[in-house]
Amino acid sequence: MKPVETPALEREDFLEFIRMYPDMAIRLLAVLAQWLRNATSQIESVVFTEPPSCMARKLLELMESHGHETSEGCVISMRLPQAELAGMIGTTMSSVADAQRLFEDAHILSVKNGHYIIHNLVELRNRAMI
């Protein structure tokens, strides 16, 4: 770990800044609202969705930001150990392993050198229930 310096802004200074620049308050509210929507969506996903569906959703999300097409399918370029994926979706590594096996058996995806390869995007979307 590296030492980190974090700047701080006193409450009164922040309030004065907002009063001076009301447009910034509107922008800040938009950012906070988006953050809240994302957090709510993640909580709903963890609480109300089974691990295979959560995993399918997360893989679709990662595919959008880190995926590229190959002759094998859409490869998620970041290495994704099961433990890391489990942490991302709020479940256990065992649940991720079970879901992965389920998806592999259905020829929806495969894993090669820690990279997920999506072979059947339509079926992955169906499993994500979106």
Side-chain angles (χ1 to χ4, degrees):
M1 284 193 166
K2 294 182 181 180
V4 175
E5 288 187 36
T6 305
L9 185 60
E10 295 293 326
R11 183 176 189 274
E12 286 305 316
D13 293 335
F14 176 73
L15 292 175
E16 182 180 335
F17 175 80
I18 293 298
R19 284 185 200 102
M20 289 175 58
Y21 303 98
D23 287 348
M24 291 303 292
I26 293 168
R27 289 182 190 170
L28 181 60
L29 283 173
V31 169
L32 290 173
Q34 182 61 49
W35 180 86
L36 184 58
R37 279 191 296 273
N38 291 343
T40 301
S41 176
Q42 285 182 316
I43 290 167
E44 286 174 351
S45 179
V46 169
V47 172
F48 299 116
T49 310
E50 294 295 319
S53 293
C54 289
M55 181 173 162
R57 286 181 184 176
K58 181 52 76 174
L59 290 173
L60 289 168
E61 180 184 313
L62 293 170
M63 192 183 77
E64 289 295 318
S65 56
H66 299 284
H68 63 277
E69 287 293 327
T70 69
S71 59
E72 294 182 81
C74 184
V75 177
I76 297 174
S77 60
M78 63 184 284
R79 291 191 87 249
L80 197 55
Q82 288 180 345
E84 189 174 332
L85 183 55
M88 289 177 172
I89 63 174
T91 192
T92 64
M93 198 168 90
S94 173
S95 292
V96 167
D98 291 344
Q100 181 178 317
R101 198 172 311 105
L102 180 77
F103 293 154
E104 287 175 326
D105 290 348
H107 306 288
I108 296 170
L109 59 76
S110 61
V111 181
K112 187 175 185 180
N113 299 323
H115 298 276
Y116 282 82
I117 305 167
I118 311 303
H119 303 293
N120 188 336
L121 182 57
V122 171
E123 189 56 32
L124 187 64
R125 283 193 177 117
N126 289 340
R127 301 291 175 104
M129 295 187 228
I130 55 174

